Every structure is written in structure tokens, then in C-alpha cells.
Amino acid sequence: QTSTKPPRFLQEHELVALMDRHRIGTDASMASHVATIIDRGYVVLCDETGAPLRPPSRPGSKARQLPRQIGRYLVPSPLGMALIQLFSGQDDGREQPDTDEGLDEEEGGTELLSRPSIRARMEAEVAQVARGELDKDQVLRSNLKWFRRRFNDLSSRLNAKPSRQHFASALTPTRDLLRRYRQRGCFLPSQDPPSHRGSPQPGAGTRRQYSGRATDNKRGRDPSGRGRDDTSRGRDGTSRGRGGTRWGRGGYGGGNIKRPAKN
């Protein structure tokens, strides 16, 4: 028996397409609108498994190779959803319509702050000002008056203790919200990174070549235990240490053999 799954979250390009359909922004400003809601923490940019996107690694960095992240999904954060509920009045139990139909843009309350029609109207008025059809100062005064009234309504609502408590309780950690979304099947299951158990690790007794000799990483010296390479050449080209061909300081081949007397 199959069960229904929740719809996937919008990706960046899908949000830009919706903004274009609702006449919000221009080709030059749409990307900045998306970046604004990300920077302010209203949404979290995640991959298809629900993991927040990692910042790009610096070129040439030797960081551990992590699985590639696919998708750029805009997941509403607790802060973003709490603001929408505050705008729409859901914190005091009022039901709000899902569309803009029947809403009076002049007499409506704070629920209009999250409606795309308000932003579309502002964009249209700015275009009319650019064409010389409307006066800039008049448009500015009317919009400031409109937003000032909603701001005062929102401030008075936040001063009420029930709304303030409801808003504060909605600000849960984002990681907890993402975990609940994963449990509900909103994302694809994550894949564990490949195991490196079979690969040799530095410092585990492996042998590496340093300056012409094999060293034992675990002991930190030559395999012979002498701690110095006995193939280092002296000035005369013979294999010498400090005082002879091997390691004795006083003679050739050892400390008990004296050098031959010179004639």
C-alpha cells in the first residue's frame, strides 16, 4: 500500500519563476530578493537530502572529500514561518484565505504584508513613475502611509502577551525542524560517505621514503634502529659516517679499529 508524500520544497529557479508570474521584481533584482530572504534567515538553503548547503571550499584546500550536494531547496525556517503566522493573524486563531481574492488592499490588515499582490502593485507604480505617468512624491507618500498603518497594527499585536508568547515559542532550532521534515519524508534519504577503512593511514607503521632512505613512521627512525643512514657519503666519496666508513668515530668500520699510521 502506497502513501502520499509531501510536496518538495521550492528551488531557487522555481521561486524566480513564481516571482516573474506574479510580476514581482525585474530580471536584475529577482536574484537579490532571493538572496535577501536567505541572508535574513527566513529560509534555509538545503540539498535534496535536507542538509544545509556547505560553503564552497577554497581552491587548493586539503579538506576531507565530502559527498556532493544536489539541489538548492528553499526550506522555510522557524523564523520565517513565525513571521508569516504573525502577519496573517494565525497567532490569535484567525483563519486567513490562501489567495488574494476578496482582500481589500486599502482596508486590509497585516495579512497583506505577505501577499504577492502588494509587491506587484508597488512594482507597477514604480514602472509608471519611470514612464512619467505618476508623480514620484505622491507614490512615495501613499506607500509610506500604507505601510505605517500595518506597522502600527503589528506592533500593537506584538505588545499583547499571547501573541508575543506564540511568536517566541515558534522560534525552535532549525536543525530540529529539518529533522522533523526528514522523518516525514520531505527529503530524499541521505547516503553515507564511502568508508576509508581499507586505506592505509599515516602513522600506522607504514613505510615512506624520506631523503633517500626508508623510515618507519611508527618508530620514527630507520628500520635498522640506528637512527642515521649509513649510506651518507663523505667528502672523499667513500661511504662514511662522522669518523669512518661505518659508525665508529675513531676508525674504519668501528670504534675498535684504529686508523693506519701515516708514513
Side-chain angles (χ1 to χ4, degrees), residues 91-105:
D91 55 330
D92 55 11
R94 292 184 297 171
E95 294 292 335
Q96 299 296 330
D98 295 332
T99 63
D100 293 344
E101 296 180 1
L103 291 177
D104 189 347
E105 295 183 357

Side-chain angles (χ1 to χ4, degrees), residues 60-120:
S61 62
K62 298 181 180 179
R64 182 169 61 92
Q65 294 294 331
L66 298 174
R68 181 190 174 203
Q69 294 184 296
I70 302 175
R72 298 176 64 86
Y73 293 89
L74 299 168
V75 182
S77 68
L79 174 61
M81 291 190 296
L83 283 175
I84 294 299
Q85 293 176 359
L86 184 65
F87 291 161
S88 60
Q90 295 179 11
D91 55 330
D92 55 11
R94 292 184 297 171
E95 294 292 335
Q96 299 296 330
D98 295 332
T99 63
D100 293 344
E101 296 180 1
L103 291 177
D104 189 347
E105 295 183 357
E106 295 300 328
E107 299 299 330
T110 57
E111 67 275 2
L112 293 173
L113 293 173
S114 60
R115 297 297 178 175
S117 59
I118 301 302
R119 184 62 188 237

Side-chain angles (χ1 to χ4, degrees), residues 54-254:
R54 300 183 296 269
S57 58
R58 294 179 298 177
S61 62
K62 298 181 180 179
R64 182 169 61 92
Q65 294 294 331
L66 298 174
R68 181 190 174 203
Q69 294 184 296
I70 302 175
R72 298 176 64 86
Y73 293 89
L74 299 168
V75 182
S77 68
L79 174 61
M81 291 190 296
L83 283 175
I84 294 299
Q85 293 176 359
L86 184 65
F87 291 161
S88 60
Q90 295 179 11
D91 55 330
D92 55 11
R94 292 184 297 171
E95 294 292 335
Q96 299 296 330
D98 295 332
T99 63
D100 293 344
E101 296 180 1
L103 291 177
D104 189 347
E105 295 183 357
E106 295 300 328
E107 299 299 330
T110 57
E111 67 275 2
L112 293 173
L113 293 173
S114 60
R115 297 297 178 175
S117 59
I118 301 302
R119 184 62 188 237
R121 187 193 69 179
M122 294 175 57
E123 297 281 352
E125 291 177 348
V126 170
Q128 289 178 301
V129 170
R131 294 193 298 264
E133 299 174 1
L134 291 178
D135 181 67
K136 182 188 69 173
D137 295 335
Q138 181 180 358
V139 171
L140 182 61
R141 284 194 300 268
S142 63
N143 278 277
L144 287 176
K145 179 181 178 181
W146 191 93
F147 279 100
R148 187 178 293 111
R149 174 186 169 186
R150 275 74 188 175
F151 175 79
N152 294 333
D153 292 345
L154 192 63
S155 299
S156 60
R157 187 182 301 171
L158 275 175
N159 289 330
K161 187 175 181 180
S163 297
R164 188 168 60 250
Q165 291 178 343
H166 185 276
F167 182 80
S169 63
L171 300 179
T172 58
T174 303
R175 61 178 179 272
D176 296 343
L177 179 65
L178 294 177
R179 183 172 62 250
R180 291 197 298 268
Y181 283 152
R182 295 190 197 99
Q183 294 173 353
R184 296 173 183 175
C186 299
F187 302 106
L188 296 180
S190 59
Q191 297 180 356
D192 296 332
S195 176
H196 301 283
R197 188 173 299 175
S199 60
Q201 299 294 328
T206 58
R207 297 172 66 84
R208 289 186 176 181
Q209 197 73 16
Y210 290 106
S211 64
R213 66 181 184 272
T215 60
D216 190 294
N217 287 343
K218 194 171 184 179
R219 292 185 294 174
R221 54 181 179 170
D222 294 346
S224 61
R226 284 190 290 266
R228 185 183 292 273
D229 188 5
D230 49 331
T231 61
S232 59
R233 295 190 175 273
R235 293 184 180 181
D236 57 355
T238 59
S239 299
R240 291 190 179 185
R242 289 189 176 182
T245 56
R246 291 302 298 274
W247 292 102
R249 293 197 178 192
Y252 290 178

